[in-house]
Structure formats: structure tokens, C-alpha cells
Amino acid sequence: MVMQRGGCVYIMANTYNNVLYTGVTSDIIGRIWEHKNNVYPGSFTSRYKCYKLVYYLYYPHIEEAIAAEKLIKGGNKRNKHQLIFSLNPEWRDLYEDLIKE
């Protein structure tokens, strides 16, 4: 039997919400912590200071999260803004909510 593991697609933004990064992970809390703490200093999120988690959505299977990531990345910036606004109209950093759960 093959055990399937879920995952999250997420979007990080910089302070001014004009640079966005879309990613996928099976460990949302750990991955966002890595972004916020510059674990990978040469990464896109570190170079452009995308430290604010503005969107995430959990999927029961990681393959679904990967497919969603590809759709989001394939879209334009306006579509990404609308997606974020639909779940997080204030563009708050959702990380604190995650670690409280």
C-alpha cells in the first residue's frame, strides 16, 4: 500500500506586495520559517525579501498541490492578486495564524 501525503500551495509577498513567490510544500510551517529566516540566502524569497505569507491552501495529496502551484505560476499577476484578495483581503501575514493552530 502506498501512503499519500498532503501538501500546501502558498504565496509569499514582500512588504509592498509587489513581488510574489509561489511555492508548494508538505511542511508549511517549517517551509515558511525557512523563508522568514533566510535559510537559503541566495533564494528568490531572500533576494526580494518575500517574508510575508499571504495565501496558502491545503490539499490532501501533494500532487494536487503541485498542480495548483503550476496553475498559479502560469497565471498573471492580476489573477494572483485576486486569489490572495479572495481569502486574505488585508494581505495579512498568515504565518502567525498557522503556528497558533
Side-chain angles (χ1 to χ4, degrees):
M1 174 194 277
V2 175
M3 299 298 278
Q4 299 228 350
R5 190 169 169 187
C8 286
V9 63
Y10 64 93
I11 301 175
M12 304 290 292
N14 68 346
T15 303
Y16 305 106
N17 300 327
N18 61 353
V19 179
L20 301 176
Y21 170 81
T22 304
V24 67
T25 183
S26 60
D27 176 13
I28 187 77
I29 293 172
R31 186 67 180 119
I32 302 309
W33 184 91
E34 290 175 345
H35 287 308
K36 288 179 168 290
N37 290 281
N38 290 315
V39 172
Y40 304 103
S43 70
F44 182 92
T45 54
S46 290
R47 284 184 311 206
Y48 292 97
K49 299 178 178 25
C50 295
Y51 304 136
K52 184 168 59 166
L53 176 65
V54 292
Y55 174 87
Y56 70 94
L57 188 60
Y58 174 79
Y59 291 88
H61 303 286
I62 191 70
E63 296 82 6
E64 296 169 304
I66 292 167
E69 177 197 29
K70 288 179 182 179
L71 282 174
I72 293 169
K73 283 185 171 183
N76 61 33
K77 199 170 204 174
R78 182 177 180 195
N79 291 345
K80 293 172 188 156
H81 280 232
Q82 289 174 341
L83 183 63
I84 295 163
F85 190 77
S86 71
L87 293 177
N88 185 6
E90 295 89 29
W91 288 63
R92 292 183 314 106
D93 186 347
L94 303 174
Y95 182 70
E96 293 300 320
D97 297 344
L98 267 180
I99 59 175
K100 289 179 185 176
E101 293 178 0

